[in-house]
Amino acid sequence: MLMTKPVFRFAPSPNGHLHPGHAYSALLNRKFADDHDGRLLLRIEDIDRERCTPALERDLLDDLAWIGFEWDGTFRRQSEHFADYSAALGRLVELDLVYPAFMSRSELRQRVGTGDWPKDPDGAPLYPHDEREISRRERQERTTAGMPFAWRLNMDKAVAHIGAALAWDEFGPEGVRQVAAKPEAWGDVVVARRDTPTSYHLAVVVDDALQGITHVVRGRDLFFATAVHRVLQQILGLPAPVYHHHELILDASGEKLSKSRRDTSLRSLRQAGKTPDDIRRMVNL
Ligand code: GLU
């Protein structure tokens, strides 16, 4: 029998400098891939053309080399594959599961007010449903007038289109367990923007499928987002990998590390005299 080898991926975004949490994710992927006799691919998630810069990508590759992270083959840079995401978006448009959403941030703030408007798992207010039924003509008029918009998935329609409960396989030291997906908790998520034919959610499912990823190992902060990924995979007829959402590395005061904090970046730790071995010890790998 022909057994296909497991394929893992590490998928950082060059929108800031990597911190020890990224080192942990990268090295854990390497360890899992080696333990499973699998391959590990690198994917540069740079669809945000404003925040992701060539200089940050250079620094990212340099930081990965410094900690001794090795991947297999050449890497995939998302900004070079917009046509793939466009095709997937086209399919969602064809199925009438997405709509152009025109509310600006401030309009949205006003609309949802300060009360107990429902929030998504990341704490952002759910997008109101007002624009789901805007007529084709009105949409046309607004878009031709140059009104900015984002493509949002009509989550209720998407869930009804699938017509069955979704789950994913979460693997860990105790084996594999099934997690029930609750995509409704996210409401009408953004799947593309006017000038970028994708969002993180759409690009990640398209690429995981195109790259033949069988095992997704990433931080727990993306645990609930997997429900959105399962919905998109199901609609687009893409295979579902198995998932492992690892713990996050916290700083001395118990806070999650973030790219916006310079003092905890791998670069500044390196400048302060830390060695790659220190980083490995720090993340227990
Ligand atoms: N690009 C994402 C990040 O840097 C990770 C996406 C993923 O692993 O699915 O947070």
Side-chain angles (χ1 to χ4, degrees), residues 96-162:
D96 198 24
L97 297 177
V98 288
Y99 63 92
F102 298 95
M103 250 178 252
S104 66
R105 262 170 225 250
S106 61
E107 282 169 335
L108 181 60
R109 259 199 306 275
Q110 271 192 351
R111 174 75 180 76
V112 305
T114 49
D116 19 310
W117 187 271
K119 305 229 166 40
D120 72 21
D122 280 349
L126 294 191
Y127 198 76
H129 293 168
D130 316 25
E131 297 165 316
R132 282 180 172 186
E133 307 303 336
I134 290 179
S135 70
R136 203 171 272 264
R137 215 181 105 208
E138 173 83 25
R139 281 179 186 175
Q140 195 74 42
E141 276 171 17
R142 292 189 189 189
T143 46
T144 355
M147 225 171 139
F149 69 92
W151 286 103
R152 286 186 180 262
L153 187 69
N154 181 329
M155 190 57 88
D156 293 326
K157 228 171 163 179
V159 166
H161 175 87
I162 295 168

Side-chain angles (χ1 to χ4, degrees), residues 9 11-13 22 43 45 200 204 216-218 222 229 259:
R9 78 337 184 247
S13 296
H22 297 106
R43 182 164 78 224
E45 301 212 323
Y200 158 65
V204 88
V216 170
V217 175
R218 61 186 177 192
L222 291 169
H229 303 168
K259 278 197 184 124

Side-chain angles (χ1 to χ4, degrees), residues 5-9 33 38-41 211-216 241:
K5 277 195 175 196
V7 186
F8 293 74
R9 78 337 184 247
R39 300 183 71 227
L40 169 56
L41 308 182
Q211 294 189 288
I213 304 299
T214 59
H215 291 63
V216 170

Side-chain angles (χ1 to χ4, degrees), residues 251 257-269 272:
D251 69 9
L257 295 174
S258 119
K259 278 197 184 124
S260 51
R261 279 192 38 198
R262 293 236 172 114
D263 55 329
T264 50
S265 71
L266 291 175
R267 303 233 114 203
S268 51
L269 293 169

